[in-house]
Amino acid sequence: MAYNNNKDDYKVDNIVIELDTDEDTEEAEKEYIANITAKIMTITNEFISRHPNIDLCTSQGLTELLKDIRRKYKANIDDIKELGILWDIYTVICCTCRIKPTLMRYSVMTGIDNTTITSWINGEYAGRVSSGHSQTAKKWKSECESSLYDEVIQTGNIGCMFALKANYGYRDNIQIIQSDGRDQLPEYSREEIAARAKIVDLLPDSPDDLPD
């Protein structure tokens, strides 16, 4: 990936996607992962070439890329292995573009309705629980939560704190409410959490009241 080293001028003009695999992963499995990765990477970089003026480091720019991926790569909603690989690819793209991953944007990329993912997380259908969809979707949600939480601890980002309140049940004092998959999140000391608590108290009740 090429970009300007100046933080304020960071620009993505090429995306390289490489997914790590375990040493004991069979060759057929590695080829399967590599095939999907190569297809998405080709779509992504062709989009960048066609639209040099679209800034992928903005919410709107990234969304346009994800819509293009959805148009050209048809994900199999029944294949949780494929959806898991697509999630890993999606998070690499988000990380490259310096934008937090969300389930909503993943829905944009795969064409899976956001309410469908929510139903998997809630275990509403026995078939999706036994197929692994439910557990995998919970993992995705935990990764999104962890990303927001890290940002709060490191920078005190007001928008991320509001997202934790609105989507993950955090209270104004940023006390963590136990939820499925919570053990997958990083642990922080009481001092680290307390350092942000006063800032969270300033959060508005509605996203409409957030500053531009």
Side-chain angles (χ1 to χ4, degrees), residues 48-201:
I48 294 173
S49 296
R50 291 197 313 275
H51 304 285
N53 295 323
I54 291 182
D55 186 358
L56 297 184
C57 298
T58 64
S59 177
Q60 183 177 1
L62 179 59
T63 297
E64 289 303 316
L65 168 61
L66 298 178
K67 286 162 58 179
D68 194 56
I69 293 174
R70 183 188 66 212
R71 285 190 292 267
K72 296 173 180 175
Y73 185 95
K74 304 303 181 183
N76 182 358
I77 191 173
D78 296 320
D79 189 343
I80 192 58
K81 181 187 295 185
E82 178 183 348
L83 296 182
I85 294 169
L86 290 173
W87 173 265
D88 289 340
I89 291 172
Y90 164 69
T91 55
V92 169
I93 293 173
C94 288
C95 183
T96 301
C97 297
R98 297 183 176 180
I99 291 180
K100 296 283 180 288
T102 66
L103 292 174
M104 188 173 295
R105 284 201 189 92
Y106 180 64
S107 295
V108 171
M109 188 183 98
T110 58
I112 305 171
D113 191 276
N114 197 49
T115 58
T116 298
I117 295 180
T118 299
S119 73
W120 295 350
I121 293 171
N122 295 335
E124 295 177 8
Y125 303 102
R128 292 308 189 190
V129 174
S130 61
S131 67
H133 283 68
S134 181
Q135 189 61 38
T136 300
K138 289 176 183 178
K139 172 179 172 290
W140 299 340
K141 183 177 180 181
S142 290
E143 287 186 31
C144 293
E145 181 182 355
S146 179
S147 179
L148 291 170
Y149 194 81
D150 284 342
E151 187 71 17
V152 169
I153 294 299
Q154 294 167 13
T155 69
N157 185 287
I158 296 295
C160 289
M161 284 189 280
F162 183 84
L164 287 172
K165 284 182 61 180
N167 300 309
Y168 298 96
Y170 284 65
R171 299 191 179 100
D172 284 343
N173 63 355
I174 207 167
Q175 178 180 347
I176 300 169
I177 299 175
Q178 289 296 113
S179 61
D180 291 338
R182 186 72 192 92
D183 58 329
Q184 299 179 37
L185 296 176
E187 296 183 358
Y188 296 95
S189 68
R190 289 179 177 272
E191 290 76 12
E192 288 176 310
I193 296 174
R196 303 297 177 188
K198 292 183 179 179
I199 301 176
V200 183
D201 290 336

Side-chain angles (χ1 to χ4, degrees), residues 12-62:
V12 175
D13 57 20
N14 182 54
I15 291 182
V16 176
I17 304 170
E18 296 180 354
L19 300 186
D20 295 327
T21 56
D22 297 331
E23 292 183 359
D24 57 352
T25 302
E26 296 183 0
E27 285 303 315
E29 178 74 7
K30 290 181 179 179
E31 291 180 6
Y32 177 66
I33 295 172
N35 182 49
I36 295 175
T37 301
K39 289 180 179 178
I40 301 298
M41 191 161 63
T42 297
I43 295 170
T44 298
N45 288 317
E46 286 180 350
F47 177 87
I48 294 173
S49 296
R50 291 197 313 275
H51 304 285
N53 295 323
I54 291 182
D55 186 358
L56 297 184
C57 298
T58 64
S59 177
Q60 183 177 1
L62 179 59

